[in-house]
Amino acid sequence: MRTVTPTVMLWTTGNYHWYLKQSLHFGNLEKNQLVSLLWDPVIPYRLHILCQGWHYLSYDWHWTTNHGLGESSQHVANVAVIDGDKVLVTAFQHAVVPPPMCTYQIQFTHAVNQIAFHTDPKHSGDMAILDADNRISVYRYGQSTVKDSTIRLGGVGGNGFKAAVETPYLDKIYRVDLGSIANEVMNPLGLRFLTWLPDNSFLVVGQDQHAAQSVLHHLTAAPHVTGADEQRLDLRLSVSVNGEVISLCCSPVTKTVALQLADGQILKYLWEASTPVLEPWQSSGGSAIQFLHPCVQISLTRISGEEVILGLTDRCRFFINDIEVASNIISFATYSEFLLVTTSSHTCQCFCLKDVTVKALQTGLSSAAVPNDEALRNVERGSRIVTVVPQDTKVVLQMPRGNLETVHHRALVLAQIRKWLNRLMFREAFQCMRKLRINLNLLYDHNPKVFLENVETFIKQIDSVNYINLFFTELKEEDFTKSMYPSLNGSSNAQPQQHPDQKKVNVVCDVMRNAMERIDPQKYCLSILTAHVKKSPPELETALQKVHDLRENTALDVTAVSAEEALKYLLFLVDVNELYDYSLGTYDFDLVIMVAEKSQKDPKEYLPFLNTLRKMETNYQRYTIDRHLKRYTKALGHLSKCGPEHFSELLNLVKDQNQYYEALKLYPPNSQEYKDISDAYGDHLNQKQLYEQAALIFARAGLFAKALDSFLNSGSWQQALCMASRLGYTEDKLSSLARSMAGKLVEQRKHAEAAILLEQYTQDYEEAVLLLLEGALWEEALRLIHKYGRLDVLETNFKPAIQEAQKSQLMFLDSQKKAFLHHKCRLQVVRELKEKASESLQDYEMPNCPELDLISETSSVVTASDMNSKYSHSNSRISARSSKNRRKAERKRYSLKEGSPFEDIALLEALGENIRAVETVKGDIHILLKQLVLFGYDEQAGELQRVLEEVLHLMEISLPEIWSPELQQSSLNLVLGPNSTANSIMAAYQQKRMVAAPVVQDPELLIPPKLNKNLQWKLHLLQ
């Protein structure tokens, strides 16, 4: 009778399929018979087993994904799944086959317990499979041509289909020989964590005699025995580990082996040494690394050049070395210089590890941080990373139910595109960008210099007119490496512009068009047209001419694009009416008719017009076309060649379209046409009240009479006298003209210039002196009095005038002083009232609002609602006024009326005007003082000097009091205005700035006026 071996089987379900994951064979010996078996009630996936003879076993299970390691092999994206006595392998590089289907399956005679992929990157698809009978089957790719009977194609095969996927073959079967400790094999799954090292040796972890210790066995292949079904593995070395090994990993890049113990301690196995040893894993700082919690998944990678160990616990806590960087990670994977994670917030994030710190990763993984769009994408709830397909952009995710999804993470896509572009693999980059909707501008923006140097390579690789046209249509002036696709690692890959003075689109269109014309102008005809149309401004006339050339060139090859096709394509790119106008602008009627026939235009609409044009003289015909197209400058050029009989028509066109400046360029300056156009141009400028410019145009054309009138209107009396001279005015006529101009200059308070006219052109020096006295030009008046020997004028006019000026200045200074003192006192009162009002309002916990400016001595209590309503009504009324009334309202914005809003601002404005008025008269008073002293009026001069000195001193000492330092500081930190934000306004309110600083829209009012101390106006002889 056949005896049944006691076996414990672990089954699980995924995607509606039951998988046998582990088989524990206990043998037929009595001491190995099972007594009891149960799951731990507290710790998930812990299994307790009790055998005869009180032999107790405890198993901790966790999920792992067996996938090919490395990046260079063609079989790196293979993933293997245990299903009883079968291994289901899916080659994700070729097809994403949903489980339980697969690319191919490998059949065994015993149940499979472990799978290990080769850690040598060149052979990363090779597998070592450990079954329940402790045999290791090695499957390799490539060398055998005989089909392996144990391998059967899955989802990608079938009758009548040719399999495009390479399958492995069974190379060897090894029997594990542990020598003296063979009794350990009696424990089911006594060997675990099978790892295939790059030198074709194996690592397995076994159990020591002591319960809390593991043994690391390093196995090597024994010499090959010819003809034997099974080969033998010899024990190279056994190393006792002080603790339980709960996970083991090997990096295919650095070939480093790391072990994790149950207490979180990390050990490094130096297997390449002559005598392999275990040592603690140390950080760059020299401290030993230990995870705070045991991790169910560990991996090795490099961050900023330093090798680190990554760990993920069953509670989603993610560690880099001994630093916990996140607590919401469901799964992670490393690929090249990237780290990908899926999180409990249903996102997949990607980080570049090349130039980044652990702290930066921690910030990026925190929920508070907002990563850029390239680094993050949303995924389905509970998604886990199965594998990343190298040399591609696919990330394969598994959903909780078991089905698969493929995403193309933007960060990986852009990284792969950049690699392709650096290798000048334009076709691969273009197809990927087109398929995944990446903007094609990146082809150029990634490295403009390299792109322009390799344009012909780009065109030959793409080798498709449609694709090249697609590239042209997506071109934009924007640099997409700075806006849409900045580098993920933060480093700028922006390249200097090749032609900084030209537009990017124009440069690319020109370079590519030239290259296509060199390669095959017939094949790329449509792309060449696209290049012309895409430029800014579009070269539609050139494009139309090329279409016309195609029509004329009938000896074309059959495969070449016809004129009909080219025109049809051009109409697809450009509006037909716009194209019709451009074709008309070429003056080629055959081309016009060709475009018109393709449009929806009625022949009755355009044929009579074209027939009329055909009958005209060439220049007049082109003038008519240009005027129809509103190209007036060109129209003038053609019309000017039509002869003098059409000049009146030209002049009317110039007047209608204001083309005076362009028209003047068409005729020589001494021609009659030039004079006629200048005459019209001058009249036009006079109408716009640009009298001086009109006069210049008249004078240039020799129209001196009109130039004289315009100079008179503009007040240019010197030029007017020149024109009078050119017109040959007599002395009487010139004198009359000078007297007339002097009168106008006096009205404009230009007494000095009026006096020059009267003295030099009318010889009326007495009237000139009186004008100078009227304008307080004392020194010039004295010069004329002495020049003409009229000393009697000193007594009759000069001395009374300076005495009257002294009294006038005293009255002015007195009025300014009184006004200054009044405004200063009132400002102090207003500020005290505001201070009290703000303190009383703060007692009711009201914000320090701008409406406090409404408080004055005449309004003791104002409610907030009253203030708001008053402001809103006032503002709405002002906004509705006309521009003239608005300016008037702005002038009255700051009213000096007591109790008005912004009274303190109005007072500041008035005080500033007082100071500036006194500053202005210092120079005039200095000249007046000299004349008073000259004629012996020392007492009056001394009094005037003393009064001015007092007023200036008063204003100088009052400046710090009126414009306090706090007020000036608030002008630098304006609370309200166009540059304010909500935060700045709130901060200002909380700091009570508003009490000291009124709300103003003219910050210059808060800055004190400058006193000019450099002007030496005082006379020392009067002190």
Side-chain angles (χ1 to χ4, degrees):
M1 183 178 173
R2 187 182 173 188
T3 56
V4 178
T5 304
T7 304
V8 175
M9 297 181 179
L10 298 184
W11 292 79
T12 184
T13 184
N15 215 15
Y16 308 109
H17 175 76
W18 282 97
Y19 296 88
L20 172 59
K21 286 296 178 186
Q22 296 287 310
S23 293
L24 308 180
H25 294 272
F26 284 84
N28 295 319
L29 296 176
E30 187 178 342
K31 66 176 182 179
N32 289 333
Q33 297 302 305
L34 288 172
V35 174
S36 178
L37 174 137
L38 79 159
W39 290 103
D40 192 284
V42 177
I43 301 171
Y45 298 121
R46 175 169 287 181
L47 181 64
H48 302 284
I49 296 177
L50 188 63
C51 302
Q52 293 282 356
W54 299 102
H55 186 55
Y56 166 72
L57 298 169
S58 173
Y59 292 92
D60 281 323
W61 307 96
H62 63 256
W63 290 100
T64 186
T65 303
N66 294 309
H67 58 83
L69 305 170
E71 294 161 27
S72 57
S73 167
Q74 60 174 327
H75 307 291
V76 283
N78 290 1
V79 174
V81 176
I82 297 172
D83 187 9
D85 59 355
K86 295 191 291 289
V87 172
L88 313 180
V89 182
T90 303
F92 284 106
Q93 200 163 28
H94 301 284
V96 179
V97 182
M101 293 187 290
C102 58
T103 307
Y104 60 85
Q105 62 184 33
I106 307 174
Q107 184 67 52
F108 291 87
T109 54
H110 294 84
V112 175
N113 280 346
Q114 290 180 58
I115 302 170
F117 279 90
H118 206 316
T119 51
D120 182 358
K122 295 178 182 176
H123 305 285
S124 55
D126 298 353
M127 291 176 285
I129 298 163
L130 176 67
D131 60 22
D133 197 28
N134 280 328
R135 292 187 309 168
I136 296 176
S137 304
V138 174
Y139 280 83
R140 295 184 184 271
Y141 277 94
Q143 294 171 353
S144 175
T145 55
V146 181
K147 186 177 179 183
D148 196 313
S149 59
T150 61
I151 294 175
R152 187 164 63 86
L153 287 173
V156 298
N159 295 329
F161 290 94
K162 183 181 179 182
V165 181
E166 185 185 358
T167 55
Y169 66 95
L170 178 61
D171 183 33
K172 287 175 183 152
I173 299 176
Y174 292 107
R175 171 68 65 177
V176 180
D177 185 6
L178 294 179
S180 62
I181 50 172
N183 60 338
E184 189 175 313
V185 182
M186 299 307 295
N187 283 340
L189 207 64
L191 303 177
R192 51 196 182 276
F193 305 124
L194 174 66
T195 304
W196 191 355
L197 295 179
D199 65 348
N200 284 322
S201 60
F202 294 95
L203 287 182
V204 287
V205 175
Q207 196 64 34
D208 201 335
Q209 299 297 328
H210 303 285
Q213 285 195 336
S214 297
V215 180
L216 180 65
H217 301 299
H218 194 157
L219 308 173
T220 56
H224 182 70
V225 180
T226 308
D229 291 339
E230 294 180 358
Q231 303 295 324
R232 197 162 44 83
L233 281 176
D234 288 342
L235 182 66
R236 177 189 176 191
L237 182 76
S238 289
V239 183
S240 293
V241 183
N242 188 20
E244 278 190 67
V245 177
I246 60 169
S247 58
L248 186 151
C249 70
C250 175
S251 167
V253 180
T254 61
K255 302 180 181 178
T256 307
V257 175
L259 296 84
Q260 181 192 189
L261 305 186
D263 61 355
Q265 187 181 348
I266 306 298
L267 302 177
K268 184 186 289 187
Y269 179 56
L270 306 175
W271 60 273
E272 290 181 289
S274 55
T275 307
V277 291
L278 276 172
E279 63 176 31
W281 186 290
Q282 293 185 332
S283 67
S284 56
S287 57
I289 300 296
Q290 183 170 359
F291 288 144
L292 298 177
H293 299 276
C295 293
V296 295
Q297 181 187 353
I298 62 173
S299 178
L300 295 170
T301 190
R302 287 184 181 276
I303 296 181
S304 297
E306 179 194 349
E307 189 168 23
V308 297
I309 185 160
L310 312 177
L312 179 65
T313 70
D314 56 353
R315 297 286 182 180
C316 302
R317 302 175 75 167
F318 185 53
F319 292 89
I320 297 178
N321 284 349
D322 49 1
I323 302 170
E324 183 178 349
V325 293
S327 57
N328 63 337
I329 306 300
I330 294 176
S331 66
F332 77 91
T334 56
Y335 162 63
S336 187
E337 72 264 26
F338 292 100
L339 167 68
L340 290 101
V341 298
T342 57
T343 68
S344 54
S345 54
H346 328 312
T347 60
C348 178
Q349 288 179 243
C350 181
F351 299 92
C352 183
L353 304 177
K354 193 180 286 182
D355 300 304
V356 74
T357 61
V358 175
K359 189 73 177 174
L361 273 176
Q362 195 169 8
T363 307
L365 285 163
S366 66
S367 56
V370 182
N372 60 28
D373 293 336
E374 187 181 321
L376 179 142
R377 66 164 292 153
N378 293 322
V379 292
E380 192 177 321
R381 181 192 297 267
S383 301
R384 292 177 180 273
I385 299 172
V386 175
T387 189
V388 181
V389 180
Q391 313 303 328
D392 201 343
T393 60
K394 287 189 287 196
V395 179
V396 182
L397 303 173
Q398 187 165 29
M399 305 303 113
R401 192 192 77 189
N403 57 311
L404 301 180
E405 278 192 15
T406 303
V407 297
H408 295 267
H409 202 291
R410 181 57 55 89
L412 295 183
V413 171
L414 293 174
Q416 187 60 47
I417 288 169
R418 289 176 183 127
K419 286 178 185 175
W420 280 327
L421 292 176
N422 289 337
R423 296 176 198 157
L424 303 183
M425 297 167 67
F426 293 112
R427 182 175 180 79
E428 290 79 358
F430 184 91
Q431 288 178 338
C432 176
M433 293 168 82
R434 179 173 165 270
K435 183 172 71 172
L436 300 177
R437 311 276 300 195
I438 304 294
N439 195 290
L440 297 176
N441 278 270
L442 191 61
L443 289 166
Y444 171 83
D445 292 335
H446 174 70
N447 193 329
K449 181 174 183 289
V450 170
F451 181 86
L452 294 178
E453 288 172 355
N454 296 276
V455 157
E456 288 196 17
T457 309
F458 172 72
I459 293 167
K460 287 173 183 175
Q461 283 188 19
I462 300 298
D463 197 33
S464 164
V465 172
N466 289 337
Y467 286 177
I468 291 171
N469 291 345
L470 181 64
F471 171 67
F472 276 133
T473 52
E474 282 206 15
L475 281 177
K476 289 183 180 175
E477 292 301 332
E478 176 186 350
D479 185 349
F480 281 75
T481 58
K482 293 177 182 174
S483 54
M484 192 178 286
Y485 307 124
S487 181
L488 186 60
N489 59 12
S491 64
S492 174
N493 61 343
Q495 304 291 329
Q497 286 291 330
Q498 283 299 98
H499 305 271
D501 54 331
Q502 297 180 39
K503 292 183 176 179
K504 163 186 153 183
V505 175
N506 289 357
V507 169
V508 176
C509 288
D510 285 341
V511 173
M512 285 193 63
R513 177 174 49 77
N514 292 335
M516 288 185 289
E517 286 172 349
R518 283 195 303 272
I519 297 169
D520 189 345
Q522 294 180 3
K523 176 181 176 181
Y524 296 109
C525 176
L526 298 184
S527 298
I528 291 168
L529 292 178
T530 312
H532 284 298
V533 172
K534 185 63 182 177
K535 286 186 70 174
S536 177
E539 297 176 344
L540 291 180
E541 291 180 15
T542 314
L544 282 166
Q545 194 57 51
K546 286 188 183 293
V547 174
H548 189 248
D549 293 346
L550 282 176
R551 189 170 193 175
E552 289 185 343
N553 189 3
T554 52
L556 280 176
D557 158 20
V558 185
T559 58
V561 178
S562 67
E564 294 289 321
E565 284 180 77
L567 185 60
K568 195 173 179 181
Y569 177 73
L570 210 53
L571 288 168
F572 170 72
L573 295 177
V574 187
D575 177 62
V576 64
N577 294 317
E578 188 181 353
L579 199 62
Y580 175 79
D581 289 344
Y582 268 98
S583 64
L584 199 57
T586 63
Y587 316 119
D588 186 335
F589 293 109
D590 293 341
L591 193 58
V592 175
I593 291 171
M594 192 169 80
V595 173
E597 284 173 350
K598 291 291 179 186
S599 70
Q600 300 296 318
K601 289 180 178 289
D602 186 354
K604 293 177 183 176
E605 184 183 337
Y606 63 82
L607 282 178
F609 174 61
L610 295 180
N611 290 331
T612 308
L613 289 173
R614 284 180 194 273
K615 296 172 186 175
M616 294 178 182
E617 186 267 330
T618 305
N619 284 315
Y620 196 77
Q621 176 196 84
R622 293 186 174 185
Y623 152 72
T624 310
I625 290 172
D626 287 327
R627 183 164 186 177
H628 173 75
L629 297 176
K630 298 182 180 178
R631 301 191 304 194
Y632 299 113
T633 306
K634 280 189 173 184
L636 285 173
H638 292 306
L639 190 56
S640 67
K641 297 172 187 174
C642 292
E645 64 272 14
H646 291 286
F647 180 72
S648 59
E649 191 176 351
L650 182 141
L651 196 57
N652 289 332
L653 179 63
V654 167
K655 289 177 181 177
D656 291 343
Q657 302 302 328
N658 292 338
Q659 296 284 320
Y660 300 100
Y661 186 72
E662 287 76 13
L664 286 173
K665 296 176 186 176
L666 300 173
Y667 294 98
N670 54 0
S671 65
Q672 184 59 41
E673 290 88 349
Y674 188 90
K675 287 187 178 180
D676 292 344
I677 295 169
S678 296
D679 193 3
Y681 194 10
D683 291 341
H684 170 72
L685 291 171
N686 275 331
Q687 286 175 5
K688 297 177 75 174
Q689 297 185 343
L690 300 171
Y691 299 116
E692 191 167 24
Q693 293 178 44
L696 294 172
I697 293 294
F698 286 136
R700 192 171 69 175
L703 304 168
F704 301 123
K706 282 194 167 187
L708 173 62
D709 292 339
S710 296
F711 278 130
L712 285 173
N713 288 331
S714 69
S716 301
W717 58 272
Q718 295 97 331
Q719 293 280 15
L721 290 168
C722 295
M723 292 302 104
S725 172
R726 295 293 291 270
L727 289 167
Y729 271 30
T730 61
E731 282 192 20
D732 291 344
K733 209 171 178 183
L734 201 59
S735 173
S736 173
L737 176 66
R739 196 171 288 279
S740 165
M741 287 194 293
K744 288 183 180 178
L745 288 170
V746 169
E747 289 173 9
Q748 297 168 13
R749 306 287 299 165
K750 296 180 179 178
H751 294 88
E753 295 173 17
I756 291 171
L757 282 170
L758 291 177
E759 183 208 353
Q760 295 183 5
Y761 290 92
T762 68
Q763 283 72 46
D764 190 352
Y765 51 83
E766 189 173 341
E767 183 66 24
V769 169
L770 293 177
L771 283 180
L772 290 169
L773 292 176
E774 185 184 337
L777 299 161
W778 315 115
E779 293 175 335
E780 181 64 13
L782 269 178
R783 187 184 72 80
L784 288 188
I785 288 169
H786 286 86
K787 178 182 177 182
Y788 294 103
R790 290 297 305 274
L791 298 180
D792 57 312
V793 177
L794 291 175
E795 299 297 331
T796 57
N797 297 92
F798 190 87
K799 289 181 180 178
I802 59 173
Q803 289 177 1
E804 185 63 33
Q806 187 257 1
K807 291 175 185 174
S808 173
Q809 292 287 18
L810 284 174
M811 288 172 64
F812 170 76
L813 290 173
D814 185 54
S815 66
Q816 290 295 329
K817 182 178 178 182
K818 285 179 181 176
F820 183 82
L821 288 170
H822 171 72
H823 294 329
K824 179 185 168 187
C825 294
R826 177 62 192 163
L827 179 64
Q828 193 173 356
V829 171
V830 171
R831 283 178 174 173
E832 287 174 0
L833 286 167
K834 283 196 170 187
E835 191 79 32
K836 290 176 185 176
S838 65
E839 287 173 5
S840 64
L841 282 174
Q842 283 170 5
D843 293 340
Y844 292 96
E845 298 182 349
M846 284 179 65
N848 189 11
C849 50
E851 284 78 3
L852 296 180
D853 293 323
L854 295 171
I855 309 291
S856 74
E857 66 176 359
T858 59
S859 55
S860 57
V861 178
V862 183
T863 65
S865 61
D866 289 341
M867 295 186 234
N868 291 329
S869 63
K870 183 170 182 178
Y871 260 87
S872 62
H873 294 159
S874 171
N875 288 337
S876 64
R877 284 201 303 272
I878 290 174
S879 64
R881 289 172 179 157
S882 66
S883 59
K884 181 180 177 183
N885 288 345
R886 195 181 300 119
R887 285 195 298 273
K888 188 177 176 183
E890 284 174 1
R891 284 198 299 274
K892 291 184 176 180
R893 182 169 50 197
Y894 306 127
S895 172
L896 283 170
K897 182 181 177 183
E898 292 188 1
S900 66
F902 306 115
E903 185 188 353
D904 53 345
I905 304 300
L907 289 166
L908 283 175
E909 190 176 21
L911 287 163
E913 286 171 0
N914 291 146
I915 294 172
R916 280 186 284 273
V918 173
E919 273 289 302
T920 306
V921 300
K922 281 201 300 190
D924 296 340
I925 289 176
H926 174 64
I927 297 169
L928 180 59
L929 288 174
K930 289 193 287 185
Q931 305 310 317
L932 289 167
V933 170
L934 181 64
F935 290 100
Y937 298 110
D938 290 13
E939 188 177 336
Q940 289 94 323
E943 183 185 5
L944 180 58
Q945 180 166 309
R946 180 182 54 76
V947 170
L948 178 57
E949 196 169 3
E950 286 176 4
V951 173
L952 286 172
H953 180 66
L954 169 68
M955 291 178 171
E956 187 175 353
I957 61 172
S958 302
L959 281 178
E961 185 183 344
I962 299 168
W963 286 277
S964 60
E966 294 82 7
L967 190 67
Q968 294 180 52
Q969 183 62 30
S970 68
S971 73
L972 301 175
N973 305 318
L974 281 177
V975 176
L976 299 179
N979 299 321
S980 302
T981 62
N983 291 337
S984 69
I985 294 168
M986 286 304 298
Y989 283 143
Q990 289 164 5
Q991 293 170 16
K992 302 182 182 180
R993 290 181 185 166
M994 300 296 288
V995 177
V999 178
V1000 291
Q1001 294 181 3
D1002 301 321
E1004 64 273 6
L1005 296 178
L1006 304 181
I1007 300 170
K1010 302 287 183 193
L1011 293 175
N1012 184 6
K1013 296 183 180 180
N1014 296 327
L1015 181 62
Q1016 300 297 323
W1017 63 273
K1018 289 190 283 188
L1019 298 180
H1020 289 285
L1021 57 90
L1022 294 175
Q1023 292 178 337

